[in-house]
Amino acid sequence: MMQNVHLAPETDEDDLYSGYNDYNPTYDTEELENDTAFQQAVRTSHGRRPPITAKIPSTAVTRPIATGYGSKTSLASSMGRPMTGAIQDGVTRPMTAVRAAGFTKAALRGSAFDPLGQSRGPAPPLEAKNEDSPEEKIRQLEKKVNELVEESCIANSCGDLKLALEKAKEAGRKERILVRQREQVTTPENINLDLTYSVLFNLASQYSANEMYAEALNTYQVIVKNKMFSNAGRLKVNMGNIYLKQRNYSKAIKFYRMALDQIPSVHKEMRIKIMQNIGVTFIKTGQYSDAINSFEHIMSMAPSLKAGFNLILSYFAVGDQDKMKKAFQKLIAVPLEVDEDDKYISPTDDPHTNLVIEAIKNDHLRQMERERKAMAEKYIMTAAKLIAPVIETSFAVGYDWCVEVVKASQYVELANDLEINKAITYLRQKDFNQAVETLKMFEKKDSRVKSAAATNLSFLYYLENEFAQASSYADLAVNSDRYNPSALTNKGNTVFANGDYEKAAEFYKEALRNDSSCTEALYNIGLTYKRLNRLDEALDCFLKLHAILRNSAQVLYQIANIYELMEDPNQAIEWLMQLISVVPTDSRALSKLGELYDNEGDKSQAFQYYYESYRYFPSNIEVIEWLGAYYIDTQFCEKAIQYFERASLIQPTQVKWQLMVASCFRRSGNYQKALDTYKDIHRKFPENVECLRFLVRLCTDIGLKEVQEYATKLKRLEKMKEIREQRIKSGRDGSGGSRSRREGSTGSDVSYVDPLGPQIERPKTAAKKRIDEDDFADEELGDDLLPE
């Protein structure tokens, strides 16, 4: 047996991995079938094993084993069994079990040795789930409810409120089915309360989003009244919000207070928010003292911009000047919690640092900081404008106090804006001199403030038609800040006023390049192209502006007017229809519609719009004249009388309106009334030849004695008229026709100047919004005197 043992050669001593594949041939099991000694031992010992009883398990562990080590007695068959393996002299080989591990009778019949049982094949597959079991049905239904709740929330976030509500309702129905099935299978303690709470809460939220407030309140009530839901009391805040939307302020305050009582004091932020809602509700109900108590508590515990601003509003409502000042100081002192802009400036030339700074310059956190800073400035500016006129003897002194407080705070740059607002207040009070003086103080300030002040000064001088001064300050504004679109727009306006439309268009284009949202510049470009008779380009400008300002009456009017100039009445009518949908009471738009329909031959539609125009503005002579003529054409002279009488009231020196009234009486057959009217006209206008002719005719027809008197006056007037004409003719022959033409232009009929007639179109200034009643083209689109 030792012939299979090989010693490692000495040359392999340095091999670290040598010897790992060597093994003792005694343990070689591959040749056991061919080992005669081993097979003989198995055959001789197999039949001599002791009998196996039921009490003693036939295992190799519990069966006594005879070994050669310390064994006093041994089996005869075992002692006589031939040994296998390497046997040293004088040493007895330990005996193994009678039945070798892993060997069966099948092995004796020639089967292969398989101690691991690999011949049995793969393990049987796992038992499949029984989908018909109640537990599995409940699990699947619960999963479906969760999916419906998620779909409802996603639909709400996408703005599809109707679909969100439908999903929430379906989730509620399936959740009720789930509860019933759980009650049949398990005990009530195993019901998933969290799932029930989420389904009900989502359903109430979707009802509220769809403005179904009664259903939302009922659902919230179900949650609040269920004692099994922990922390459900805070949902009374949502109920209070719904009552606030319904303007049921007393119930809103009641539920806010109930929620406040159920929220522990450790949740300070939530309690502060609820107190904020309570204070706002008190302001809406006019209970300013209670609102002051709420906001003062908030400002003492956790100061915030909204609470400080609302506190100023409450003090303003009760007229407490000292408290307004203190509240304004508290508002200024609220920490902004926004980092300075210095961290966005690279201190070194390190490319890695520069990349990081460039990445965070406009990230979401930076945008949030900008929004918070803009909100703080808005609150402070609004509060200052609100309290400045009332905290001191005059608004100027109040503004000065606010400016001093702002200068001593972290909002130093707002002081200049307050000064400009002070100038705007002077403008609203029509104190233009003080406004100009205030704005001139900024000429030595930094470029941004100087540009803003110069822009407003240019605007003021432009409105006063002092175009030289307006141009000078516009140049100053442009030089101070070349990228100020308002300054460029005002400069273009001054050039426009001088008639240089091409150059004005260049300034407007530059303003648009600097700020594509400058609607004043875009509007003025449209006007400029319209003046240059480039109607297609003007139409493009106004159509672009219409895409930005969907409901701007002036833009709609300009588009309709351009289509009218392009001789496209159908499009003009369509845009005017959009215009009157925005401003249904505008008399000029209605009269223009009537005029277009009249030109198209549609008298009934023209009468409808002319009549609407007259109803909203019964002093337009053109509309009155058209309506009177319309009733005369339709043989309703009695109705035409009221319009001509109104015209005679508007223009009492115009004899033609009174003659038309008398003519309507005559045409309707009321000769006596017509005669009285003619006599009244003759008393007021004794030299009117036409009136005397009608008097002579009527007196002759009726047979009155005054006919001779009126006939004599008529002859005398006609003779005087002939003499006057001869003098005019002789003067024309002697001195030329220029003077006679000048004299001939002034007659007895004074031409009426329509106060609402079209005026000269003026471009928009970029500093103030001004609505001109005369013409849509004069309207301003600027936000305020402060340029953007």
Side-chain angles (χ1 to χ4, degrees):
M1 297 296 291
M2 295 297 293
Q3 61 183 356
N4 293 327
V5 178
H6 301 280
L7 298 176
E10 298 178 357
T11 57
D12 295 335
E13 292 178 357
D14 295 335
D15 188 2
L16 296 178
Y17 301 100
S18 62
Y20 284 100
N21 294 326
D22 298 338
Y23 61 96
N24 192 343
T26 306
Y27 303 109
D28 187 6
T29 59
E30 293 180 358
E31 298 296 329
L32 289 178
E33 293 182 1
N34 300 325
D35 190 346
T36 55
F38 178 77
Q39 295 295 336
Q40 182 65 29
V42 170
R43 281 196 297 270
T44 56
S45 63
H46 184 267
R48 298 179 181 180
R49 283 179 297 178
I52 299 172
T53 61
K55 294 182 180 180
I56 301 174
S58 61
T59 62
V61 176
T62 57
R63 186 178 61 194
I65 299 175
T67 64
Y69 294 98
S71 177
K72 298 286 178 82
T73 59
S74 57
L75 294 176
S77 62
S78 297
M79 294 295 292
R81 187 181 69 180
M83 296 296 184
T84 61
I87 303 175
Q88 298 179 1
D89 296 337
V91 179
T92 306
R93 175 179 176 271
M95 296 299 294
T96 60
V98 176
R99 182 179 179 181
F103 285 88
T104 60
K105 291 181 180 181
L108 299 177
R109 293 194 294 267
S111 62
F113 177 68
D114 188 15
L116 300 178
Q118 296 178 356
S119 60
R120 302 174 188 173
L126 298 175
E127 184 178 355
K129 293 182 179 179
N130 186 5
E131 296 183 357
D132 295 332
S133 64
E135 291 81 3
E136 184 63 25
K137 289 182 178 179
I138 289 174
R139 232 180 344 261
Q140 293 298 326
L141 189 56
E142 184 173 342
K143 181 179 178 182
K144 181 62 176 176
V145 172
N146 281 315
E147 290 176 355
L148 288 171
V149 172
E150 290 179 2
E151 291 173 3
S152 174
C153 296
I154 293 172
N156 182 279
S157 63
C158 295
D160 194 348
L161 302 180
K162 186 177 179 181
L163 177 62
L165 180 59
E166 291 176 357
K167 294 288 185 182
K169 288 181 178 179
E170 187 178 354
R173 289 192 292 268
K174 290 189 178 297
E175 195 274 334
R176 287 191 291 272
I177 296 174
L178 175 63
V179 170
R180 287 196 293 269
Q181 290 185 4
R182 278 189 180 277
E183 290 176 349
Q184 294 174 2
V185 175
T186 62
T187 59
E189 290 78 9
N190 294 329
I191 295 176
N192 191 347
L193 291 177
D194 291 338
L195 180 62
T196 305
Y197 180 87
S198 62
V199 169
L200 290 174
F201 179 65
N202 179 60
L203 181 60
S205 300
Q206 303 307 332
Y207 275 135
S208 179
N210 285 271
E211 297 183 358
M212 301 172 66
Y213 297 131
E215 292 83 352
L217 288 172
N218 291 335
T219 309
Y220 278 127
Q221 201 71 31
V222 171
I223 301 175
V224 170
K225 287 186 175 181
N226 194 333
K227 302 300 183 182
M228 300 178 69
F229 295 138
S230 60
N231 298 325
R234 65 180 58 191
L235 291 183
K236 291 181 179 178
V237 176
N238 295 20
M239 300 175 72
N241 292 338
I242 293 176
Y243 282 121
L244 186 64
K245 291 178 182 178
Q246 293 179 331
R247 298 186 178 183
N248 191 345
Y249 301 125
S250 60
K251 280 196 172 183
I253 293 173
K254 174 184 175 182
F255 276 88
Y256 284 145
R257 285 178 168 170
M258 291 168 65
L260 191 65
D261 294 337
Q262 296 187 12
I263 292 178
S265 57
V266 293
H267 298 157
K268 294 182 180 180
E269 187 175 354
M270 177 64 73
R271 292 177 64 85
I272 289 296
K273 289 181 179 180
I274 295 175
M275 293 192 69
Q276 176 83 17
N277 289 4
I278 293 174
V280 171
T281 311
F282 277 132
I283 289 179
K284 290 182 176 294
T285 57
Q287 300 176 355
Y288 300 111
S289 59
D290 295 328
I292 288 171
N293 294 332
S294 298
F295 292 126
E296 281 184 343
H297 178 74
I298 295 172
M299 293 300 290
S300 63
M301 297 295 295
S304 65
L305 294 169
K306 290 184 179 180
F309 181 73
N310 288 332
L311 183 60
I312 293 174
L313 289 180
S314 303
Y315 282 134
F316 178 81
V318 298
D320 195 332
Q321 298 179 356
D322 295 335
K323 293 291 183 66
M324 274 188 273
K325 289 183 177 180
K326 293 180 181 179
F328 186 76
Q329 291 173 339
K330 289 182 181 179
L331 177 64
I332 291 287
V334 172
L336 193 57
E337 297 178 358
V338 173
D339 293 335
E340 298 295 332
D341 294 338
D342 297 341
K343 74 174 184 180
Y344 299 103
I345 301 175
S346 177
T348 62
D349 294 334
D350 183 13
H352 179 72
T353 305
N354 293 337
L355 286 174
V356 172
I357 292 176
E358 199 65 30
I360 67 174
K361 266 186 178 179
N362 200 31
D363 60 355
H364 291 294
L365 180 60
R366 177 63 172 159
Q367 292 174 5
M368 289 176 60
E369 290 178 349
R370 287 201 191 104
E371 291 174 1
R372 182 172 178 80
K373 188 174 181 181
M375 182 181 68
E377 292 177 355
K378 178 183 176 183
Y379 282 142
I380 293 171
M381 293 292 293
T382 307
K385 289 189 287 186
L386 180 68
I387 68 174
V390 297
I391 59 175
E392 297 291 349
T393 54
S394 66
F395 86 91
V397 180
Y399 263 109
D400 293 338
W401 182 87
C402 292
V403 168
E404 293 301 322
V405 173
V406 170
K407 283 182 178 179
S409 68
Q410 55 183 331
Y411 306 99
V412 181
E413 50 201 32
L414 289 182
N416 294 325
D417 295 337
L418 280 175
E419 290 282 359
I420 292 179
N421 275 315
K422 180 180 176 181
I424 295 173
T425 309
Y426 277 125
L427 283 178
R428 289 173 179 162
Q429 295 182 354
K430 302 188 183 301
D431 193 347
F432 299 106
N433 295 329
Q434 285 290 339
V436 171
E437 291 298 325
T438 305
L439 290 172
K440 285 183 177 179
M441 294 169 55
F442 293 96
E443 292 185 13
K444 296 181 181 180
K445 297 282 186 179
D446 60 0
S447 60
R448 185 187 70 85
V449 180
K450 185 193 297 185
S451 178
T455 301
N456 288 284
L457 284 169
S458 173
F459 155 73
L460 283 173
Y461 285 119
Y462 180 81
L463 291 183
E464 295 177 355
N465 293 329
E466 297 183 15
F467 299 122
Q469 289 281 356
S471 179
S472 174
Y473 279 103
D475 289 334
L476 178 61
V478 172
N479 294 332
S480 301
D481 185 4
R482 187 70 189 183
Y483 299 100
N484 185 351
S486 300
L488 292 166
T489 301
N490 285 351
K491 179 60 181 176
N493 291 349
T494 59
V495 177
F496 185 97
N498 294 326
D500 192 351
Y501 303 124
E502 293 288 352
K503 190 175 180 181
E506 291 300 323
F507 280 108
Y508 297 143
K509 289 178 183 177
E510 186 176 356
L512 276 177
R513 284 195 294 270
N514 293 334
D515 184 6
S516 59
S517 63
C518 184
T519 54
E520 297 89 352
L522 185 57
Y523 186 92
N524 292 344
I525 289 178
L527 285 185
T528 306
Y529 287 148
K530 187 177 172 184
R531 284 294 182 89
L532 294 171
N533 202 28
R534 293 155 63 176
L535 298 180
D536 291 332
E537 297 178 57
L539 184 61
D540 289 339
C541 291
F542 287 118
L543 287 175
K544 289 178 183 177
L545 195 57
H546 175 64
I548 301 172
L549 307 172
R550 303 296 300 180
N551 295 323
S552 174
Q554 50 206 358
V555 176
L556 293 171
Y557 174 79
Q558 290 295 341
I559 295 174
N561 183 246
I562 290 175
Y563 275 120
E564 184 183 1
L565 295 175
M566 296 172 70
E567 297 180 356
D568 190 349
N570 293 327
Q571 284 289 338
I573 289 173
E574 181 179 343
W575 285 96
L576 283 174
M577 293 293 289
Q578 294 187 40
L579 173 60
I580 63 172
S581 68
V582 176
V583 279
T585 61
D586 188 271
S587 61
R588 283 189 59 78
L590 292 167
S591 65
K592 176 59 70 175
L593 264 175
E595 179 185 344
L596 291 175
Y597 276 116
D598 188 26
N599 295 337
E600 292 295 306
D602 193 344
K603 294 290 184 181
S604 60
Q605 286 287 350
F607 169 75
Q608 175 185 349
Y609 289 109
Y610 270 123
Y611 180 76
E612 288 295 314
S613 175
Y614 171 79
R615 194 161 64 88
Y616 290 116
F617 185 65
S619 299
N620 192 336
I621 292 295
E622 294 178 358
V623 175
I624 292 172
E625 185 176 7
W626 191 93
L627 288 171
Y630 174 80
Y631 279 120
I632 290 176
D633 292 341
T634 55
Q635 305 299 322
F636 289 100
C637 299
E638 297 87 352
K639 291 186 177 181
I641 292 173
Q642 61 176 338
Y643 295 103
F644 292 126
E645 285 180 345
R646 179 170 289 277
S648 65
L649 291 175
I650 297 171
Q651 296 180 341
T653 59
Q654 290 290 321
V655 67
K656 66 177 182 178
W657 306 122
Q658 300 182 40
L659 289 174
M660 291 300 297
V661 173
S663 176
C664 288
F665 281 126
R666 182 169 52 83
R667 293 188 184 200
S668 62
N670 194 347
Y671 296 105
Q672 185 60 43
K673 191 68 175 175
L675 180 61
D676 295 339
T677 305
Y678 280 125
K679 287 180 179 181
D680 186 55
I681 294 172
H682 179 65
R683 283 193 299 272
K684 294 179 181 178
F685 304 95
E687 296 184 358
N688 188 277
V689 177
E690 187 177 357
C691 178
L692 284 172
R693 286 174 181 168
F694 281 113
L695 278 173
V696 171
R697 184 181 302 175
L698 279 176
C699 290
T700 302
D701 293 341
I702 299 175
L704 299 177
K705 297 178 180 180
E706 295 96 340
V707 64
Q708 190 62 36
E709 176 185 354
Y710 294 129
T712 304
K713 291 181 180 180
L714 178 60
K715 289 179 181 180
R716 186 170 65 250
L717 286 175
E718 288 177 347
K719 188 175 181 180
M720 291 175 62
K721 185 177 180 181
E722 290 177 4
I723 295 172
R724 188 182 300 113
E725 290 176 355
Q726 288 177 1
R727 288 177 181 175
I728 293 172
K729 185 178 181 181
S730 61
R732 185 180 302 164
D733 294 339
S735 61
S738 61
R739 181 179 177 184
S740 63
R741 280 195 297 270
R742 287 197 303 268
E743 292 177 352
S745 64
T746 60
S748 59
D749 294 337
V750 181
S751 62
Y752 172 66
V753 180
D754 184 6
L756 294 181
Q759 305 293 321
I760 297 175
E761 289 180 336
R762 300 173 63 185
K764 297 180 178 301
T765 57
K768 180 187 176 185
K769 180 183 286 186
R770 181 175 61 84
I771 298 176
D772 197 330
E773 295 179 356
D774 297 346
D775 194 7
F776 289 114
D778 285 342
E779 295 181 300
E780 308 298 344
L781 290 179
D783 292 332
D784 206 339
L785 280 174
L786 181 63
E788 298 175 1

